[in-house]
Amino acid sequence: MIAPNKHAKEQALQALMDRLGYQFKDQALLQLALSHRSLGPKNNERLEFLGDSIVNFVIAEALYRQFPMAKEGQMSRLRAGLVKGVTLAEVGKELQVGECLRLGAGERKSGGQRRESILADAVESIIGAIYLDSDISVCEQRILDWFASRLRSLDLHTNQKDAKTRLQEFLQAHKQALPVYELIQVKGNDHEQMFVMSCQVEMFAIATQAEATSRRIGEQRAAAQALKILEQTIAQERS
């Protein structure tokens, strides 16, 4: 008879594979990909190294094919935005990888299953594990599926700097005070918290709010709202 706890873990792993869109032949590889270094010497760091190289290659090829007229610098900027830690962490949250992470007691107690850096590393590790369990073609298809909406939304003429950077540069160009970010509220249970962040801009007395699964993403969303309002206000004044 399977112990209830073991059965629950098996169900959680199966649900994760369903979300990944890939069924591991060797589930030990998936278990290893989910094992943070806080758990001990048998962890996912080697798989992360492998997955990092693979995701960079797959995204680079996708951009090469999607933008036949793009210059090297443009493709490099687009790739950097897609494979950076924040984006990989977002993919990890969408796939609910955090629910299955294997962490040391201290790391789990401090909320490591929600930490962006740990989620980003786990996504790369899973990519490495899928490659070892199958082949580059299958691995490529999974990556392209996870990144599909982000690839579709790319535009060579879009400024690839994040919202916080663009807002700061906008305010500096207009010789205005920099924005102030503040945590307004934390919603939900410990394992599925939502952070409500505000972005206060002294110029035109703007204050926006946004919520996300991390403070960093919440700040970015609030900054994007503030930037949009500022740009619209400036445009109206000039018209």
Side-chain angles (χ1 to χ4, degrees):
M1 181 177 179
I2 299 176
N5 190 41
K6 183 180 179 182
H7 183 62
K9 289 180 178 179
E10 290 177 350
Q11 286 185 319
L13 275 182
Q14 182 57 56
L16 175 59
M17 288 191 288
D18 291 342
R19 293 192 296 273
L20 294 174
Y22 180 77
Q23 300 297 315
F24 276 84
K25 295 183 285 292
D26 181 3
Q27 290 193 20
L29 276 171
L30 177 58
Q31 291 272 18
L32 182 60
L34 296 168
S35 300
H36 185 253
R37 63 176 177 270
S38 62
L39 201 64
K42 193 173 182 180
N43 57 59
N44 62 9
E45 289 185 329
R46 283 170 52 83
L47 284 175
E48 176 198 338
F49 168 80
L50 180 60
D52 175 70
S53 299
I54 295 170
V55 73
N56 270 277
F57 167 73
V58 170
I59 294 299
E61 183 185 12
L63 293 172
Y64 183 88
R65 295 182 184 281
Q66 185 170 333
F67 299 104
M69 304 303 292
K71 296 179 180 179
E72 183 272 339
Q74 291 174 305
M75 291 190 293
S76 292
R77 285 192 293 274
L78 291 173
R79 182 181 61 180
L82 286 171
V83 302
K84 65 182 179 181
V86 173
T87 306
L88 288 167
E90 288 176 356
V91 172
K93 288 170 185 173
E94 290 165 7
L95 295 170
Q96 299 175 48
V97 170
E99 295 182 5
C100 296
L101 283 175
R102 304 176 70 212
L103 306 167
E107 192 64 63
R108 178 163 294 280
K109 189 175 181 180
S110 65
Q113 66 272 25
R114 299 186 301 275
R115 190 163 295 128
E116 288 182 355
S117 60
I118 292 178
L119 285 169
D121 291 347
V123 169
E124 290 179 331
S125 300
I126 290 171
I127 289 169
I130 291 175
Y131 170 71
L132 293 177
D133 195 61
S134 56
D135 54 43
I136 190 62
S137 178
V138 171
C139 192
E140 178 181 22
Q141 191 53 54
R142 289 299 84 225
I143 294 169
L144 293 178
D145 183 57
W146 301 344
F147 282 83
S149 62
R150 292 172 173 84
L151 285 165
R152 285 195 301 268
S153 68
L154 292 179
D155 183 342
L156 285 179
H157 305 292
T158 299
N159 189 331
Q160 294 303 307
K161 294 178 181 176
D162 62 58
K164 287 181 67 175
T165 300
R166 287 186 285 130
L167 177 59
Q168 179 174 316
E169 291 179 350
F170 181 97
L171 293 170
Q172 288 175 329
H174 288 83
K175 296 181 171 56
Q176 297 293 320
L178 295 180
V180 175
Y181 298 95
E182 184 180 357
L183 174 64
I184 300 299
Q185 184 183 4
V186 179
K187 300 179 179 179
N189 300 321
D190 289 343
H191 65 286
E192 50 185 13
Q193 290 181 327
M194 294 294 290
F195 299 87
V196 182
M197 305 299 300
S198 74
C199 174
Q200 300 174 30
V201 180
E202 186 176 318
M203 185 182 188
F204 302 128
I206 292 171
T208 58
Q209 288 188 13
E211 64 178 57
T213 52
S214 76
R215 295 190 184 195
R216 183 182 298 179
I217 297 174
E219 288 177 352
Q220 291 287 357
R221 290 177 179 174
Q225 293 178 23
L227 185 62
K228 184 176 181 180
I229 294 172
L230 284 171
E231 290 173 339
Q232 290 175 343
T233 304
I234 292 292
Q236 290 172 359
E237 288 187 347
R238 290 174 177 172
S239 62

